[in-house]
Amino acid sequence: SIMIQLNNITKKFGEKIVLNNLTLSIDSPGLYGLLGINGAGKTTTIKCICGLIDASGGSISRKLSPGEIGYMPEELALYKDMDILSNMSYFCDILGLKVERIIPEIIPLIHRFNLNRDLRVQVGKLSKGNIRKVQFLCTIMHKPTLLILDEPFSGLDPISTEIMIQEITKLKNRGVAILLSTHRIEQAERICDHIFMIHRGEIVVNAPIQEALISGKSPMMVEITTLVALDGIKGAHLQSHIGEVYTYWIHPFDINHTEIIGALQKRKIIGLKRSENSLNDIFIDTVTRRK
């Protein structure tokens, strides 16, 4: 049975069209990846699903009560001046749960996330990664039927990411439907059963993972590390800039191949990652790799 159905959803902010006739449905347990670059419309889609913002057009059908949905936003949704336990207790109150019953159930996960010594530390004093872990705990406490995670791995170190992936997979195996947004194709490729690829507010791929990876319409992204800024190059999205090292995502959807390849050949490229996708193969194999 369908849990969530979005039919031809349009969302405008002023004149800007952020979602354009977007249709998707979640109808069974499993791990659904909402994949796209920053600014593609992932968070707006999620907020429409959760009823946090109203769509400008189209219809949304929810077969779940608000209490059956767990939503972990990308931005901070905890009280910074309260400690971890007080935050958890507050969310239990809102959800009508007894904190004395919930805490023992998630003690093993508190230990797995290495938060047991920080339970009385103010959230504002925690690292970004530890804040993500606390948000995850607060999101799953009430055992939602549909779990919506917006960039859940941002700020997590590799070990914590691995633990988070294991916990998300356990929830999926218990019959939870999970919608997970990410701009990292390798994460989606590894854990998702189904992909919704969003590009400029439209779903361009809606398919099981095996089909999604070979779809001709799939704007799979390439991660590229350079020693210079790729200013003004269409399709190059800066992900991080540390010292003299720049990391970009580039996706073939936007690329004028000869133009961008020429631009990259003239610059120092120190690293290149790609997903196994035919579109990327055309583009990347012709780039001169330079130390």
Side-chain angles (χ1 to χ4, degrees):
S1 65
I2 288 174
M3 299 180 193
I4 298 282
Q5 172 87 44
L6 273 60
N7 286 316
N8 297 320
I9 292 297
T10 301
K11 180 61 185 173
K12 292 181 181 175
F13 292 107
E15 291 300 300
K16 186 173 166 59
I17 298 172
V18 181
L19 299 181
N20 188 9
N21 283 330
L22 182 142
T23 295
L24 65 80
S25 68
I26 295 174
D27 52 11
S28 58
L31 221 166
Y32 299 79
L34 183 62
L35 199 60
I37 58 167
N38 294 341
K42 301 190 298 295
T43 297
T44 305
T45 301
I46 283 172
K47 286 186 172 173
C48 284
I49 289 172
C50 294
L52 295 170
I53 57 175
D54 291 328
S56 311
S59 63
I60 300 177
S61 166
R62 297 182 193 86
K63 297 289 195 295
L64 300 173
S65 68
E68 292 177 283
I69 299 174
Y71 166 49
M72 175 172 151
E74 188 178 10
E75 67 271 12
L76 180 71
L78 302 169
Y79 289 94
K80 284 189 186 177
D81 54 351
M82 284 166 35
D83 63 29
I84 294 177
L85 271 180
S86 303
N87 267 283
M88 294 175 105
S89 176
Y90 175 74
F91 281 104
C92 280
D93 283 350
I94 290 177
L95 295 162
L97 303 170
K98 294 271 185 289
V99 70
E100 311 80 56
R101 197 171 64 77
I102 295 299
I103 296 293
E105 288 181 5
I106 57 173
I107 283 286
L109 196 43
I110 288 170
H111 280 272
R112 277 208 82 195
F113 277 150
N114 216 10
L115 292 170
N116 39 308
R117 291 197 195 92
D118 295 330
L119 292 176
R120 288 295 177 194
V121 175
Q122 281 186 338
V123 163
K125 294 180 178 165
L126 298 173
S127 67
K128 187 181 177 194
N130 279 348
I131 287 172
R132 296 303 281 158
K133 296 174 196 174
V134 178
Q135 290 207 171
F136 181 72
L137 292 174
C138 289
T139 307
I140 64 169
M141 283 192 306
H142 64 298
K143 299 191 172 70
T145 308
L146 173 64
L147 185 57
I148 298 175
L149 308 172
D150 196 354
E151 296 282 357
F153 310 118
S154 75
L156 293 183
D157 61 79
I159 292 170
S160 299
T161 300
E162 197 53 44
I163 294 170
M164 182 84 83
I165 285 172
Q166 288 170 12
E167 292 306 320
I168 289 169
T169 306
K170 278 184 203 167
L171 289 166
K172 178 188 90 167
N173 292 340
R174 283 185 209 140
V176 178
I178 300 159
L179 178 66
L180 179 153
S181 94
T182 180
H183 61 273
R184 304 279 300 267
I185 179 59
E186 75 279 7
Q187 287 172 346
E189 200 170 336
R190 187 176 148 207
I191 62 174
C192 293
D193 305 310
H194 193 100
I195 293 288
F196 301 118
M197 173 96 53
I198 186 169
H199 184 68
R200 292 182 182 152
E202 296 181 16
I203 297 288
V204 292
V205 176
N206 176 353
I209 185 74
Q210 296 80 2
E211 284 175 43
L213 290 173
I214 56 168
S215 164
K217 286 193 273 184
S218 169
M220 296 296 187
M221 289 165 282
V222 173
E223 185 180 282
I224 184 165
T225 315
T226 71
L227 293 175
V228 282
L230 299 180
D231 292 334
I233 292 188
K234 198 179 177 204
H237 298 265
L238 184 65
Q239 289 302 319
S240 67
H241 171 208
I242 301 162
E244 294 181 351
V245 179
Y246 298 80
T247 303
Y248 292 88
W249 281 105
I250 295 180
H251 55 92
F253 230 64
D254 265 349
I255 289 166
N256 169 332
H257 287 193
T258 49
E259 176 191 317
I260 200 156
I261 289 163
L264 294 177
Q265 282 173 342
K266 290 178 199 141
R267 292 172 160 94
K268 292 180 181 173
I269 295 170
I270 56 173
L272 211 45
K273 286 186 197 169
R274 61 171 180 176
S275 60
E276 296 305 313
N277 176 276
S278 54
L279 270 173
N280 286 345
D281 292 344
I282 304 164
F283 157 57
I284 283 305
D285 287 340
T286 51
V287 171
T288 308
R289 293 160 199 241
R290 300 192 172 173
K291 286 280 183 277

